[in-house]
Amino acid sequence: MIIGLLQDNIVAIITSWFFGFIGVLANCFVICKTTYSYNTKFKCHGFNRVHALLIVNLAAADLCGALYLIIIASSDRYYALHYNHIYQCIFRNDCYNETNIWLLSPGCSVARFFAILGSYIPACIMLLISIDRYICVVSLNGLNRLPLNKVKISIIISWIMGFGIAAASIIRSLQLFEPSNFRIFTNVCFFSDLYDHVFQVLAICGFVIIVVVYLITMGLYTNIIIHIHRARKLVIGFSKSSINNRAKIETRLSIITGFLAVTNLLSWLPSLLLFITQTANVPFLKSYFGYHISVVGYLLLYVNCCANPVTYSVLTSQSFRRRCSCLSCI
């Protein structure tokens, strides 16, 4: 049996490779496309600079999460092929005679760094995007938008927060290093010990940010749909084409909002429930299957690395813009 960092957890291995690979491709595409569009078509418009800046930073943050999954998946295969004899100790119950060399490697620290950035920063950027869309659509003729300077400051603060949390996590993990610790959750290089008070505080802060941002974002997009629906009723009797156009906008935004709601919920809800049950010392999670399920639930936190670039690619596509031409800010 070939055993690596993920201890032959097939679901975790497939999840890491699948979402990691697609996430890298999708986010690189969004960054290149948005940068190209800004430099060739929209450079003269202030509102496009704001939107392009937000989309590029969201894609960059999601790219960190996708790269994290690729690092974990590729490192799992590398250590399985070259250090299989070390990681089989978990099945022999003699890991106290071995040293988990992966935890001491730079790759683990880099993975932990990308993991923090890919989980905290996208939530902040998505909140800014939803606020920008709400102000733009709901305001009269779409003339009001977030000021570019304030957006830049908010983005810088988000990245500084992410770097600070990542640095604290790396330092604390090195302090808690146990040579004979071969548990999968430790091998995925996020939080070394969920029972440590520092990591518990970081996890609680992260979940509070993610849940609050999710609720606000869904609320703003729902209000946008309601606003378009009311505006569609006001133009009845004046222009049939305007009514049809706004109806298409309302339908498309409803679908995208529903997609965002489902993917975001599937992303953070399993991790939140697992965190609560683990801190409550639920016996099942200490079993072999429970522990493997908890690792898969944690990796699902990075589903948005794929969902976000796909969703916002649709929102910023030329066909969607043409259909939404009556709302100039979309």
Side-chain angles (χ1 to χ4, degrees), residues 174-189:
L174 294 175
Q175 291 175 343
L176 296 176
F177 170 69
E178 298 178 20
S180 59
N181 188 345
F182 283 80
R183 292 175 297 176
I184 303 181
F185 197 86
T186 304
N187 288 340
V188 295
C189 294

Side-chain angles (χ1 to χ4, degrees), residues 20 41 73 108 139-140 144 165 167 169 209 226 244-245 265 289 311:
K41 300 178 183 179
C108 184
S139 65
L140 183 62
N144 294 329
I165 296 175
S169 178
I209 292 173
I226 293 173
N244 293 333
N245 198 20
L265 195 64
F289 291 104
T311 303

Side-chain angles (χ1 to χ4, degrees), residues 195 277-278 280-291 294:
Y195 297 103
T277 53
Q278 282 184 342
N281 291 318
V282 175
F284 171 73
L285 293 180
K286 295 182 179 180
S287 66
Y288 177 83
F289 291 104
Y291 197 74
S294 65

Side-chain angles (χ1 to χ4, degrees), residues 79 83 86-87 99-106 108 177 179 182:
Y79 281 88
Y83 298 97
I86 295 179
Y87 289 89
T99 297
N100 193 343
I101 56 177
W102 159 244
L103 299 180
L104 294 175
S105 69
C108 184
F177 170 69
F182 283 80

Side-chain angles (χ1 to χ4, degrees), residues 4-6 12-21 66-81 102 111 187-188 299:
L5 304 180
L6 298 178
I13 293 172
I14 294 175
T15 300
S16 300
W17 279 115
F18 179 79
F19 290 111
F21 182 73
L67 288 173
Y68 161 73
L69 293 177
I70 291 295
I71 292 174
I72 294 299
S74 57
S75 297
D76 170 68
R77 291 299 88 195
Y78 174 81
Y79 281 88
L81 293 174
W102 159 244
N187 288 340
V188 295
L299 292 176

Side-chain angles (χ1 to χ4, degrees), residues 18-308:
F18 179 79
F19 290 111
F21 182 73
I22 295 180
V24 168
L25 292 180
N27 286 295
C28 287
F29 171 77
V30 169
I31 293 173
C32 294
K33 178 186 175 183
T34 305
T35 303
Y36 174 79
S37 299
Y38 168 74
N39 290 328
T40 58
K41 300 178 183 179
F42 309 126
K43 197 171 183 178
C44 60
H45 301 295
F47 68 88
N48 283 308
R49 289 201 298 270
V50 171
H51 191 63
L53 183 64
L54 290 171
I55 292 297
V56 168
N57 276 273
L58 176 63
D62 283 329
L63 181 60
C64 292
L67 288 173
Y68 161 73
L69 293 177
I70 291 295
I71 292 174
I72 294 299
S74 57
S75 297
D76 170 68
R77 291 299 88 195
Y78 174 81
Y79 281 88
L81 293 174
H82 295 86
Y83 298 97
N84 178 52
H85 62 285
I86 295 179
Y87 289 89
Q88 282 189 348
C89 72
I90 193 70
F91 294 98
R92 300 193 307 263
N93 293 322
D94 63 348
C95 288
Y96 55 86
N97 291 323
E98 303 287 355
T99 297
N100 193 343
I101 56 177
W102 159 244
L103 299 180
L104 294 175
S105 69
C108 184
S109 296
V110 173
R112 182 175 285 111
F113 182 77
F114 282 147
I116 297 295
L117 296 183
S119 57
Y120 284 81
I121 297 178
C124 300
I125 304 298
M126 285 187 65
L127 177 61
L128 292 174
I129 291 175
S130 61
I131 293 174
D132 176 63
R133 298 298 86 194
Y134 176 79
I135 294 175
C136 185
V137 173
V138 175
S139 65
L140 183 62
N141 296 323
L143 297 178
N144 294 329
R145 299 172 183 92
L146 288 177
L148 181 60
N149 290 333
K150 291 185 178 180
V151 170
K152 289 181 178 179
I153 293 174
S154 299
I155 290 175
I156 291 173
I157 292 175
S158 299
W159 282 100
I160 291 176
M161 179 194 71
F163 277 99
I165 296 175
S169 178
I170 292 173
I171 293 173
R172 187 58 177 170
S173 295
L174 294 175
Q175 291 175 343
L176 296 176
F177 170 69
E178 298 178 20
S180 59
N181 188 345
F182 283 80
R183 292 175 297 176
I184 303 181
F185 197 86
T186 304
N187 288 340
V188 295
C189 294
F190 192 71
F191 292 153
S192 296
D193 186 0
L194 282 178
Y195 297 103
D196 178 69
H197 294 307
V198 174
F199 285 131
Q200 285 184 344
V201 170
L202 293 177
I204 291 172
C205 291
F207 281 121
V208 168
I209 292 173
I210 291 173
V211 174
V212 170
V213 166
Y214 172 80
L215 295 176
I216 295 176
T217 300
M218 291 301 101
L220 291 175
Y221 277 113
T222 301
N223 277 304
I224 290 175
I225 295 172
I226 293 173
H227 174 79
I228 296 174
H229 180 72
R230 291 175 178 174
R232 179 160 60 91
K233 290 184 177 181
L234 294 177
V235 298
I236 293 178
F238 293 93
S239 174
K240 186 176 181 180
S241 60
S242 296
I243 297 172
N244 293 333
N245 198 20
R246 288 178 178 269
K248 292 178 180 178
I249 297 171
E250 183 181 338
T251 301
R252 282 174 171 263
L253 284 177
S254 298
I255 294 173
I256 291 174
T257 302
F259 181 75
L260 282 172
V262 173
T263 55
N264 276 266
L265 195 64
L266 290 176
S267 175
W268 58 261
L269 185 59
S271 298
L272 177 60
L273 294 177
L274 288 168
F275 174 73
I276 294 174
T277 53
Q278 282 184 342
T279 53
N281 291 318
V282 175
F284 171 73
L285 293 180
K286 295 182 179 180
S287 66
Y288 177 83
F289 291 104
Y291 197 74
H292 280 65
I293 290 174
S294 65
V295 173
V296 174
Y298 158 71
L299 292 176
L300 289 177
L301 188 62
Y302 298 93
V303 168
N304 282 342
C305 295
C306 300
N308 288 339

